[in-house]
Amino acid sequence: MPGRSDLLKGAGDLLVLSVLADGPLYGYAITKQVAAKSGGAIRLTPGALYPLLHELERSGLLLSSWETVQAPDNDDEDKGRKRKWYRLSAKGKKRLAHRIDSHRAMQKMIESFLPDQA
Amino acid sequence: MSTNMRLQTPLTAELLDDLAADRDANAAMDAWLNVVSRLMRLPPATRQEICDELREHLHERVRDLLLVGRDERDAVRTAIEELGETAHLARRFEAANQPRPRRLLMHALFTIVGAGAVTAGMMTFTSSNSSPTIPFAYFDAANASANEPPKSLVELKCSVGFDDSLRQALGNIASRANVGLMVNWRSLENVGVECDEPLAIKFDSVSGTHAMKVIAQAASTPDDALDWRVRDGGIVEFGLRDDLDRSEIELVTYDVNGMLERLHENFAESYSDASQQVIELLATMVEPNRWEDNGGDMARMRLVGGRLFVQAPASMQKKVAWILSQWPGNANNQERASTAAESEVPLLRDIPILHSVLRDSADRLSPSPAGETIGEPMPRSP
């Protein structure tokens, strides 16, 4: 839908923090969760998502931990893949609350400028 | 393997084909990750972690694509393509892993919804963190300087001794200038300010306002700057700069339509470029670390239809207003930015932008002629 991706610019961190508010997730699960919550309308680009996750972690908004995943079809028992789980830090929870408040205030403000739809 | 000589370069369509043609999907992904890893100028441990994370993503994605009936070669190729061009991806990871102050608006965090003609130019409302609703709104240009420091403080000649603590120094100034003093000592102690230890500064016969500034600087910690404000009724509030600023966050819109048009005509390829130039200018010049899009939590801005919405403390709004006033046709283009950043910044009323007033939060815009005042004066920093 034209315009929608424009409107989502800058909302990436809000989306990520919001889905992580429900519990820890890893990168690919975040993309699926965002897609599911938006009924498929929003697809996070992985090339943007992973750097964003790193940035949020570096800012202290997210904490991470590693899990070793044993793929069922993996013959080599020692060769498990590594999965990085992210969760909100206390600072991240606070930031999310701020972001939601200011997003709503901004939304309300902008709405007051829009003409009434016929 | 035929990809070896290409590993030095960003991913090309041919390389993708080579990778996808590889019979072993794991080997194809590893080869691609190897390319990305080499392109990132980051410590080896960081690169390894990034590759581990991306490898897991690729495996999951390929598995899902196989489940919907794609063949393996196609699935690998799609999963890799979705991550984007290797050099670009590497730059993004580098930027995300830079130490603070961080990257500047790497992904242009703003919205353009056309640049239609707009009439009213500026409005503002103050916003409080504690309340989820938008409070009563006003911009009081006529009384913009209402919260100037009390005369008794300006004219006071202060002395502070080497052994005076923060508590003693502030108490002394407040009682001699006969002004009310408001300090949340506990919040200061919580961030490690030593309120009862010697400040280790000494001065004589300094004005009260300057003394407050020097004391605030002396008592600040590396992580938390202290500052002071004059509140309604001439009460002096001393505290964490972030807390003081947070209580003064307001949403102001600036009409930047003319400016965007001028930029577009002369310096930018499109409105979008012009808008980005404006946003980047403000985000670099006005306290960069405090913008949400730069990783801060104090201010944000968006451009919608020729209007720039800035939600930020009053002190930052002044700097934004000053910068926007520098375009031809606006006033005060002689003044130096450093002066503005420090103290004497033109007030919002000095910019040739009309202002109007948002009367309340009930979605009702109430235009008012320039200079009309509704409500109480907006809080001002000293």
Side-chain angles (χ1 to χ4, degrees), chain A residues 24-27 29 63-67 69 83-87, chain B residues 53:
Chain A
L25 289 171
Y26 54 95
L63 300 170
S64 69
S65 52
W66 289 89
E67 176 202 16
V69 189
R83 181 176 285 168
K84 191 175 183 185
W85 288 80
Y86 293 93
R87 62 185 190 281
Chain B
E53 188 174 25

Side-chain angles (χ1 to χ4, degrees), chain A residues 10 18 21 24 27 29 54 80 86 90 95 114-115:
Chain A
S18 296
H54 283 227
Y86 293 93
R95 172 68 63 84
L114 305 180

Side-chain angles (χ1 to χ4, degrees), chain B residues 166 170 182-184 188 212 215-216 226-228 236-239:
Chain B
L166 178 63
L170 291 181
M182 196 158 61
V183 187
N184 184 342
L188 296 185
M212 293 294 291
I215 291 169
L226 304 184
D227 208 347
W228 66 291
V236 170
E237 184 176 2
F238 188 94

Side-chain angles (χ1 to χ4, degrees), chain A residues 28-40:
Chain A
Y28 191 62
I30 291 174
T31 63
K32 291 176 96 168
Q33 186 72 7
V34 167
K37 273 197 162 186
S38 64

Side-chain angles (χ1 to χ4, degrees), chain B residues 284-334:
Chain B
T284 33
M285 302 307 291
V286 182
E287 306 185 29
N289 288 336
R290 304 185 108 194
W291 295 101
E292 196 171 73
D293 294 344
N294 287 346
D297 63 355
M298 192 62 76
R300 58 182 352 212
M301 61 181 143
R302 293 289 184 273
L303 241 167
V304 181
R307 280 172 185 278
L308 178 67
F309 292 77
V310 178
Q311 196 171 40
S315 56
M316 288 177 73
Q317 298 283 7
K318 284 186 189 177
K319 296 174 191 174
V320 168
W322 183 86
I323 288 179
L324 294 178
S325 74
Q326 299 309 298
W327 267 258
N330 291 340
N332 290 319
N333 54 2
Q334 302 297 316

Side-chain angles (χ1 to χ4, degrees), chain A residues 10 26 28 32 47-48 50-51 54-55 58-59 66 81-83 86 95 99 102 108-109 113, chain B residues 52-53 56-57 59-60 64 92 96-98 102-103 109 123 125 251 292 295 297 300 307 311:
Chain A
Y26 54 95
Y28 191 62
K32 291 176 96 168
Y50 287 96
H54 283 227
E55 196 188 335
R58 201 174 174 90
S59 309
W66 289 89
R81 301 192 314 269
K82 287 179 165 178
R83 181 176 285 168
Y86 293 93
R95 172 68 63 84
R99 285 285 271 126
S102 54
K108 202 160 193 176
M109 179 78 173
F113 279 84
Chain B
D52 285 344
E53 188 174 25
E56 169 64 8
H57 172 89
H59 274 276
E60 292 258 308
D64 276 2
R92 280 181 155 174
N97 284 280
Q98 292 305 316
R102 277 188 309 282
R103 67 215 185 85
L109 298 148
M123 81 189 162
F125 63 88
L251 179 54
E292 196 171 73
D297 63 355
R300 58 182 352 212
R307 280 172 185 278
Q311 196 171 40

